[in-house]
Amino acid sequence: MNTTLSILDQLPDGLIETEATTLHHILPNPTLMHLSGRIEQPIFVSVLLHGNEHTGLLAIQALLKKYQNKELPRSLSIFFGNVQAAKLTQRRLDTSPDYNRIWPGTEQPESPESRIAQQVVDDMQQRKVYISIDIHNNTGLNPHFACINSLEPNFLHLANLFSRLTVYFLRPKGVQSAAFAKICPAVTLECGKPGVKYGVEHALDYLDTCLHLKHLPDHPPAEHDIDLFHTVALVKIRDNASFSFDKDRVDLKLNTNLERMNFTEINAGTVLGMVSPGASMPLISKNENGIDNTDNYFALQNQQLVNRKAVMPSMLTLNEAVIRQDCLCYLMERIKLPKNQ
Ligand SMILES: [Zn+2]
């Protein structure tokens, strides 16, 4: 497998029609494609950083189809990320890192993939990238929402153009949007589960709107137009703890109604699962600075795993592989808009 970056300056034949699982026939490597438009300063879009999240690819294909025989309103640079994982419909390959943890600012060791990410950022910085959009799906029952890594007004506007629901976070490190936030307004779109048509339409509309953007307001959106949340904990299951939703002989048996709690405030003492007799705390939760805050949020009571205080989780999923590869969930708290300067 090749882990070098390919760079194209035109649309290859067949790209608009291909599926995520066969994209590697056309783009065998991670590929950065530059297409020129009326306004030179480009929009940067990344898709398939996670190989099983193909809504971004479908939206880009629909956008390219729309502009196939006419000039793009603005130049567009697209990064097609983990094409090899997409071939297998996997988030990432076991043999390579997560493509949304490899970007400048990452805490992971340098790798061929992190060098590719650096190359992409350097290239886009040289082109004076206007805005950056990273498109994802998630596996749980989540509404569409946008994520940002800065509370500057233009970031808030960019997020608000997609959804009134916006999540501000600083961790995990090494994500695309945090790297681009250093050079331009950047946003991550979470478009619900893959394979849902509305997710593709919503992302397509958003991309088309952004292609036509002339300027982003320099004051924050109106308070009543945005629901802004801040991630207060990233929750994982400890590597040495076994877990399952349906098997009994595990350290932690999780409740199957978990994903219904996404973006819902849950009361303190809500039972999230059962632990085996004598088991220790199977979760580890960390705040934005990487400090362990497990004891603030979780407790074991009579072999039940409960939350200590009212919280709003997101990204809870029933997909055990995703929980192991990524995390169990995030916990969030509502924050007020930064005051007008
Ligand atoms: Zn993703």
Side-chain angles (χ1 to χ4, degrees):
M1 188 178 52
N2 202 330
T3 34
T4 56
L5 179 68
S6 296
I7 298 181
L8 300 177
D9 57 11
Q10 57 184 359
L11 190 60
D13 284 343
L15 188 126
I16 289 180
E17 295 82 24
T18 189
E19 294 189 5
T21 49
T22 51
L23 179 62
H24 65 279
H25 293 313
I26 300 168
L27 308 176
N29 306 320
T31 300
L32 180 58
M33 191 167 82
H34 301 296
L35 303 173
S36 61
R38 201 153 51 239
I39 302 175
E40 196 183 333
Q41 214 189 342
I43 283 183
F44 175 68
V45 181
S46 53
V47 299
L48 290 174
L49 294 191
H50 294 139
N52 57 339
E53 301 173 12
H54 62 271
T55 288
L57 175 66
L58 292 171
I60 273 292
Q61 287 173 320
L63 186 76
L64 295 175
K65 196 166 181 182
K66 182 170 176 183
Y67 288 99
Q68 210 167 11
N69 299 310
K70 51 181 174 182
E71 191 184 26
L72 285 162
R74 179 187 280 281
S75 296
L76 175 63
S77 297
I78 308 160
F79 178 60
F80 299 87
N82 204 336
V83 289
Q84 292 297 333
K87 176 180 169 182
L88 304 172
T89 321
Q90 288 179 4
R91 179 184 171 90
R92 65 172 174 91
L93 300 179
D94 289 336
T95 50
S96 65
D98 185 322
Y99 272 48
N100 204 23
R101 301 290 184 272
I102 55 174
W103 297 82
T106 182
E107 291 170 336
Q108 296 184 359
E110 194 180 327
S111 62
E113 291 80 7
S114 71
R115 285 190 285 273
I116 287 175
Q118 181 73 57
Q119 221 181 322
V120 171
V121 172
D122 291 347
D123 189 335
M124 293 315 302
Q125 184 163 23
Q126 235 168 33
R127 289 168 191 266
K128 300 191 167 45
V129 56
Y130 180 55
I131 55 177
S132 165
I133 303 160
D134 183 24
I135 309 179
H136 287 256
N137 294 106
N138 45 70
T139 50
L141 284 178
N142 292 288
H144 290 187
F145 63 98
C147 297
I148 49 177
N149 311 97
S150 159
L151 293 172
E152 292 292 316
N154 43 17
F155 285 71
L156 290 164
H157 275 284
L158 200 55
N160 203 206
L161 279 175
F162 183 68
S163 172
R164 61 175 297 133
L165 184 56
T166 298
V167 174
Y168 165 70
F169 74 96
L170 297 171
R171 213 164 258 275
K173 299 283 183 194
V175 299
Q176 190 271 37
S177 59
F180 275 84
K182 303 265 187 251
I183 56 174
C184 68
V187 68
T188 301
L189 309 183
E190 289 287 351
C191 302
K193 292 189 180 187
V196 180
K197 203 167 151 227
Y198 172 63
V200 179
E201 289 166 357
H202 191 188
L204 168 63
D205 282 351
Y206 182 83
L207 292 175
D208 208 7
T209 300
C210 288
L211 273 181
H212 288 91
L213 270 184
K214 293 276 163 50
H215 89 124
L216 284 164
D218 51 12
H219 54 85
E223 188 101 46
H224 55 83
D225 282 338
I226 187 164
D227 287 317
L228 184 61
F229 292 92
H230 174 47
T231 306
V232 292
L234 165 59
V235 185
K236 296 186 179 220
I237 295 180
R238 289 181 189 277
D239 286 340
N240 59 3
S242 58
F243 73 96
S244 176
F245 285 95
D246 48 15
K247 293 186 199 72
D248 288 323
R249 293 174 157 275
V250 288
D251 298 317
L252 172 63
K253 187 169 181 189
L254 290 162
N255 277 0
T256 49
N257 65 354
L258 276 190
E259 65 172 353
R260 308 223 163 259
M261 299 176 190
N262 283 328
F263 289 96
T264 307
E265 189 158 78
I266 57 169
N267 294 328
T270 302
V271 178
L272 308 171
M274 299 292 296
V275 296
S276 58
S280 53
M281 173 55 71
L283 302 185
I284 177 160
S285 121
K286 289 183 179 175
N287 74 4
E288 293 274 72
N289 298 315
I291 309 290
D292 188 328
N293 58 9
T294 315
D295 292 341
N296 294 348
Y297 290 104
F298 299 101
L300 296 179
Q301 293 172 355
N302 306 323
Q303 285 181 240
Q304 292 178 325
L305 172 66
V306 299
N307 54 310
R308 268 185 197 276
K309 52 166 102 169
V311 286
M312 193 170 84
S314 70
M315 305 298 244
L316 282 162
T317 168
L318 301 182
N319 185 319
E320 293 178 8
V322 169
I323 293 173
R324 194 51 99 186
Q325 275 194 343
D326 186 20
C327 65
L328 176 64
C329 68
Y330 295 88
L331 302 181
M332 296 177 302
E333 284 172 6
R334 187 180 283 270
I335 49 173
K336 286 219 169 293
L337 278 183
K339 282 279 163 271
N340 228 333
Q341 306 293 328

